[in-house]
């Protein structure tokens, strides 16, 4: 289940808090350039499907991912700095590593690099691509930037068809070698849930080199390459990402392209290509955000796109209300699936670091696939989830 913390400032600003959460701007402990911090998100949720069945459960990371991080920076003079980051995603429900981590302690990021003021930064290691940087951290995504959070990500129970696998053996193999989570029926893996199929919520790239320029007149660009690590087969399991972004005052925009090869797709020589284009702005207490996102199997041609939009309003420094809507459409290899999804979120900031929220997400498909929210697959084409939760940054 994946996966707004707002301070008492002039206005409750979701993207700013998300940036603080992920950058460690307010550490619990800092010494010799080392920062220890994190972000915690937990609540109680109830899921309901079209048959009236209900599921009550603790919900991890409904709005933002719960994580613990260690980060450091050394000032070497002249604007040159050495930097590193070690991030772990955690489950507050169990105290264990988040299932997305697949047992890796620093799966969420583990990199070291250099940055030069006026030029940009260079990083090597395991790290998120630019979709995460600009759409989740930057708040462009209407889900994490306005309403619904990670429960409102673009998603669907069509992961096996998007990845191009079928049958129990192929699907089971794709759980370990692919990007999507398993769907189980009577204890057996029967499909894949394509939650976060446009990568906004974070899909790490291993063995990666990432270069990002500083901003010039509000513009910044970056490129990234992930080495597959297969001797004699350079393309096997490799990935690449590129982005261009713009920022001016409260306005942000970005275009991101990412392509990652996966072992289940053409023996690791093909994979999923994602394209995102979006923008957000804020004026007089209103936040407006919109994006277009797309996922395409580079081998089979299976493809889906989404259009998302959201509007939020700060009623006071402490209260924010936001709503968002998403339309998804797949091609014939995804059974021409159509998904309509809506979210509503009310957030109250108790302090600069702590907030409570009420959130609801509703999804309806055209029946091509069962509805799916937060890796929970419904018995039918309709599903909803409502949650009361709390977020804290430390």
């Amino acid at each position: 289940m994946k996966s707004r913390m707002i301070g008492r400032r002039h206005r409750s600003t979701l993207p700013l808090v998300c940036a603080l959460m992920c950058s460690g701007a307010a550490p619990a402990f800092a010494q010799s350039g080392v920062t220890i911090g994190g972000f915690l998100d937990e609540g109680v949720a109830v899921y309901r499907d079209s048959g009236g069945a209900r599921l009550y459960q603790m919900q991890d990371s409904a709005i933002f991912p719960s994580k613990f991080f260690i980060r450091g920076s050394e000032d070497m003079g002249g604007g040159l700095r050495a930097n590193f980051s070690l991030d772990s995603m955690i489950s507050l429900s169990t105290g264990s590593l988040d299932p997305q981590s697949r047992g890796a302690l620093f799966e969420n990021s583990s990199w070291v690099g250099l940055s030069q003021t006026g030029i940009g930064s260079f990083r090597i290691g395991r790290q998120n691509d630019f979709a995460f940087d600009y759409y989740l951290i930057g708040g462009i995504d209407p889900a994490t930037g306005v309403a619904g959070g990670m429960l409102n990500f673009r998603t669907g129970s069509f992961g096996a068809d998007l990845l191009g696998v079928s049958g129990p053996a192929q699907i089971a193999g794709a759980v370990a070698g692919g990007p999507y989570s398993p769907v189980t029926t009577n204890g057996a893996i029967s499909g894949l849930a394509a939650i976060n199929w446009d990568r906004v919520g974070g899909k790490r790239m291993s063995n990666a080199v990432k270069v990002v320029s500083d901003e010039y007149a509000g513009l910044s660009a970056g490129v990234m390459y992930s080495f597959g690590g297969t001797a004699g087969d350079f393309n096997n399991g490799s990935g690449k990402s590129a982005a261009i972004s713009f920022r001016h005052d409260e306005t942000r925009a970005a275009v991101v392209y990412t392509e990652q090869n996966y072992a289940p797709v053409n023996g690791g020589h093909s994979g999923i290509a994602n394209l995102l284009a979006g923008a957000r702005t804020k004026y007089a207490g209103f936040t407006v955000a919109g994006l277009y996102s797309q996922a395409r199997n580079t081998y089979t041609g299976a493809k889906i796109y989404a259009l998302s939009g959201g509007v939020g309003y700060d009623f006071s420094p402490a209260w924010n209300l936001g709503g968002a809507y998403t339309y998804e459409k797949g091609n014939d290899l995804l059974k021409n699936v159509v998904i309509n999804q809506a979210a509503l979120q009310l957030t109250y900031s108790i302090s600069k670091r702590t907030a409570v929220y009420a959130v609801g997400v509703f999804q309806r498909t055209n029946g091509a696939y069962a509805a799916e929210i937060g890796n929970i697959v419904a018995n039918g084409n309709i599903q909803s989830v409502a949650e009361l939760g709390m977020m804290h940054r430390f």
Side-chain angles (χ1 to χ4, degrees), residues 23-258:
S23 68
F29 173 76
Q31 185 178 15
S32 301
V34 175
T35 297
I36 297 176
F39 188 87
L40 307 175
D41 182 346
E42 184 77 354
V44 178
V46 54
Y47 288 79
R48 187 168 187 259
D49 64 20
S50 51
R54 286 180 172 85
L55 170 66
Y56 296 87
Q57 66 173 29
M58 298 296 294
Q59 182 75 49
D60 288 314
S61 304
I63 308 302
F64 287 124
S66 293
K67 63 163 58 182
F68 171 85
F69 58 73
I70 306 171
R71 293 176 187 164
S73 181
E74 179 191 6
D75 187 350
M76 296 184 287
L80 180 65
R81 304 185 73 91
N83 310 293
F84 76 88
S85 180
L86 300 171
D87 289 36
S88 293
M89 288 184 65
I90 55 178
S91 167
L92 292 184
S93 298
T94 64
S96 62
L97 290 174
D98 187 277
Q100 287 190 32
S101 299
R102 301 183 181 185
L105 178 60
F106 295 119
E107 186 274 345
N108 198 240
S109 75
S110 53
W111 56 262
V112 65
L114 296 170
S115 62
Q116 175 66 53
T117 301
I119 297 178
S121 64
F122 168 83
R123 299 175 178 178
I124 51 177
R126 182 173 175 84
Q127 48 200 309
N128 285 292
D129 65 49
F130 296 105
F132 179 86
D133 295 346
Y134 295 122
Y135 285 84
L136 192 148
I137 302 300
I140 294 176
D141 180 11
T144 53
V146 178
M150 299 179 73
L151 287 176
N152 192 32
F153 276 161
R154 277 64 56 194
T155 186
S157 58
F158 46 76
D161 288 340
L162 182 57
L163 206 58
V165 296
S166 60
Q170 285 190 358
I171 292 174
V175 172
Y180 305 132
S181 301
V183 173
T184 58
T185 303
N186 297 324
I189 297 175
S190 57
L192 298 172
I195 188 171
N196 187 35
W197 55 254
D198 56 10
R199 304 178 69 94
V200 168
K203 295 286 187 183
R204 271 64 67 189
M205 302 176 80
S206 296
N207 311 308
V209 177
K210 188 176 189 178
V211 180
V212 185
S213 75
D214 268 0
E215 290 184 1
Y216 300 94
L219 291 170
S220 176
V223 293
M224 183 175 181
Y225 188 82
S226 171
F227 295 91
T230 302
D233 196 350
F234 190 78
N235 190 48
N236 193 334
S238 65
K240 47 186 173 283
S241 183
I244 184 169
S245 69
F246 173 78
R247 181 172 64 174
H248 177 70
D249 293 334
E250 294 284 359
T251 298
R252 298 185 181 190
V255 177
V256 177
Y257 178 82
T258 302

Side-chain angles (χ1 to χ4, degrees), residues 48-50 148 151-152 324-326 339-344 359-365 371-373 381-386:
R48 187 168 187 259
D49 64 20
S50 51
L151 287 176
N152 192 32
Y325 169 77
T326 298
I339 298 174
N340 289 277
Q341 186 167 295
L344 190 67
V359 62
V361 180
F362 174 87
Q363 184 188 101
R364 184 189 194 99
T365 79
E372 178 265 321
I373 300 174
N381 71 319
I382 296 175
Q383 180 158 252
S384 62
V385 58

Side-chain angles (χ1 to χ4, degrees), residues 15 135 138-147 252 277-282 286-292 307-312 323-325:
Y135 285 84
I140 294 176
D141 180 11
T144 53
V146 178
R252 298 185 181 190
R280 66 166 288 273
T281 192
K282 189 163 188 171
F286 285 95
T287 298
V288 180
L291 74 80
Y292 168 87
L307 294 169
S308 300
V311 177
Y325 169 77

